[in-house]
Amino acid sequence: MKNIVISGYYGFNNLGDEAVLAGISSLLKRKREDLKITVLSAEPEQTADRYGLNAVSRTSVVQILAALAEADLFISGGGSLLQDVTGSFSVPYYLGLAWLARLQGTKTVYYAQGAGPLNKKWSQLLTAFSLNRFELLGVRDQGSQNLLQEIGVKKEIELTVDPVFALYDPLNNLKQQIKGKIEVGISVRPWSVDYISELAAALNQFAEGKKVKFIIFPMHQGSDEESSLQLQKKLKAEAEICALPPVPGEALKVFSQLDLFVGVRLHSLIFALLNQIPLLALSYDPKIEGLLSELDYLPLIKLEDLKADQAAAELENIFAARYSLRKKIKGFIKLKKAGAEDFAELVLEEVDTCES
């Protein structure tokens, strides 16, 4: 039996990161049922129970070293772990774990991550020095590949896809029910730009003369609720805040009956795409542009440029074209799921070359 240890932002009630873990683990276990996977988590008991995997505390050096001592492969990712915008801890923490693995002779894989922003010189140097010593590097978008090459990563970098696309299930995309209202899903998050009022004005403008119901989804429990409530109070049409199930597969199904989606968080947008929902992306980070770079038929507005009239017009456009857009999105998702499968095969090839 081969042992894999996975490190990421797991156990923090962030549904996007939980979906990343679900995508990686389901891909690997579907292809190799006998794999033993151990996750480094902030809530190891919860993670173990939710995914049927082993889990240890991400802050216990003793437990981490014990897991790595048995590991054949160490996976860093997915998500956007190597960035220095939210603090200076992420880069040394996640790369430090990889070095602990290497010191024990364990192979390391950078799994379909988004890289950056990396604004500090020491972050760039440490990242390049470390990633050049990984066995396999995979990034989820072209911008991340370009950034890593610019800061000095010489090793080949595979351009792959976010592992959440592995959760695509066409059975969740059956014909929508006939409803008396247009259901618009929304995901917002706190950010340095004050955009809630402008977004509310756009949504109110779109809802004029229509029967619309707005459903707001806090994707990161404990973080997104306040912004969601602020938006709800400013909306004139019916609006509710919907607490999503903590299990990614169940949360995905909640999106299935939406007609449109407006999202700030990356994985809220991917959840919408997995359900073939036409969307308006609001970008606070280059990773959003990375996702939309292959979807030129869907609109994107940067948060700092958000204006009510433009956003309302974009919503009108995608609503008018929603049936043709759903067909285009379906083809895109199929390609992305195949890409996720292909990268998992590369990871398993690394596992197969490990000495037992």
Side-chain angles (χ1 to χ4, degrees):
M1 177 187 293
K2 299 292 187 179
N3 295 319
I4 295 176
V5 171
I6 302 179
S7 165
Y9 192 70
Y10 306 130
F12 289 98
N13 295 313
N14 186 320
L15 191 53
D17 289 291
E18 295 300 308
V20 167
L21 176 58
I24 294 174
S25 59
S26 64
L27 275 169
L28 298 178
K29 293 287 277 186
R30 273 203 306 267
K31 296 173 180 294
R32 202 70 56 81
E33 292 183 7
D34 63 340
L35 284 177
K36 178 184 176 183
I37 297 176
T38 300
V39 182
L40 308 186
S41 171
E43 296 288 345
E45 290 185 8
Q46 179 191 85
T47 298
D49 180 64
R50 185 172 293 169
Y51 303 106
L53 305 172
N54 300 293
V56 300
S57 172
R58 60 179 266 137
T59 58
S60 171
V61 175
V62 172
Q63 292 183 27
I64 292 170
L65 288 174
L68 291 175
E70 298 181 355
D72 298 291
L73 188 74
F74 174 81
I75 288 176
S76 178
S80 300
L81 304 181
L82 301 184
Q83 53 81 26
D84 55 18
V85 172
T86 60
S88 299
F89 180 69
S90 291
V91 172
Y93 172 76
Y94 290 111
L95 291 178
L97 291 173
W99 279 105
L100 286 177
R102 293 199 65 79
L103 288 172
Q104 300 203 53
T106 303
K107 286 189 169 187
T108 49
V109 169
Y110 186 71
Y111 200 115
Q113 289 195 44
L118 292 167
N119 297 320
K120 300 178 177 66
K121 188 63 177 179
W122 68 264
S123 297
Q124 298 175 10
L125 292 172
L126 181 58
T127 297
F129 180 77
S130 301
L131 294 189
N132 278 323
R133 286 151 181 83
F134 275 53
E135 272 69 32
L136 176 64
L137 302 178
V139 294
R140 66 188 178 195
D141 58 74
Q142 185 67 59
S144 295
Q145 186 182 55
N146 293 342
L147 173 62
L148 293 181
Q149 290 172 340
E150 287 168 7
I151 66 172
V153 176
K154 304 299 183 184
K155 189 173 180 64
E156 182 180 359
I157 304 170
E158 297 285 340
L159 183 57
T160 180
V161 305
D162 194 300
V164 176
F165 282 105
L167 301 181
Y168 172 61
D169 183 352
L171 294 179
N172 291 338
N173 292 285
L174 301 177
K175 188 174 181 180
Q176 289 189 317
Q177 300 172 359
I178 297 175
K179 301 167 292 186
K181 296 180 180 179
I182 302 164
E183 294 190 356
V184 180
I186 308 164
S187 170
V188 292
R189 62 158 295 161
W191 197 244
S192 55
V193 176
D194 182 12
Y195 67 94
I196 296 295
S197 295
E198 207 68 31
L199 174 58
L203 294 170
N204 288 333
Q205 189 173 325
F206 172 75
E208 288 179 5
K210 306 182 186 73
K211 290 184 178 180
V212 174
K213 178 181 180 180
F214 295 115
I215 307 173
I216 306 170
F217 301 107
M219 293 288 288
H220 189 172
Q221 184 181 333
S223 174
D224 295 351
E225 288 83 357
E226 184 176 348
S227 299
S228 298
L229 186 59
Q230 288 175 1
L231 178 62
Q232 183 189 35
K233 289 179 178 179
K234 294 177 182 292
L235 295 175
K236 297 176 181 178
E238 179 184 357
E240 70 172 74
I241 296 176
C242 176
L244 289 164
V247 178
E250 295 176 8
L252 263 175
K253 294 177 183 178
V254 178
F255 279 59
S256 63
Q257 289 302 314
L258 297 174
D259 296 289
L260 299 178
F261 190 78
V262 181
V264 179
R265 286 198 177 274
L266 173 69
H267 288 103
S268 74
L269 297 169
I270 294 179
F271 274 32
L273 291 172
L274 290 172
N275 284 282
Q276 298 171 221
I277 308 300
L279 59 83
L280 166 60
L282 303 178
S283 176
Y284 71 99
D285 186 280
K287 63 187 178 184
I288 309 298
E289 286 119 82
L291 172 65
L292 270 289
S293 64
E294 299 177 63
L295 295 162
D296 57 5
Y297 46 85
L298 295 176
L300 178 147
I301 303 174
K302 292 186 177 182
L303 283 187
E304 60 267 28
D305 299 329
L306 180 62
K307 300 296 180 186
D309 288 347
Q310 179 192 2
E314 295 288 13
L315 284 171
E316 292 287 359
N317 290 337
I318 61 173
F319 181 64
R322 61 193 182 278
Y323 299 115
S324 62
L325 289 176
R326 286 177 66 89
K327 292 179 181 178
K328 290 181 179 180
I329 293 169
K330 183 176 182 179
F332 170 80
I333 299 167
K334 286 184 174 180
L335 288 174
K336 290 297 180 182
K337 182 171 184 178
E341 299 272 359
D342 290 344
F343 189 73
E345 289 288 354
L346 293 179
V347 174
L348 290 172
E349 287 177 13
E350 294 295 336
V351 174
D352 289 339
T353 61
C354 295
E355 295 182 3
S356 300

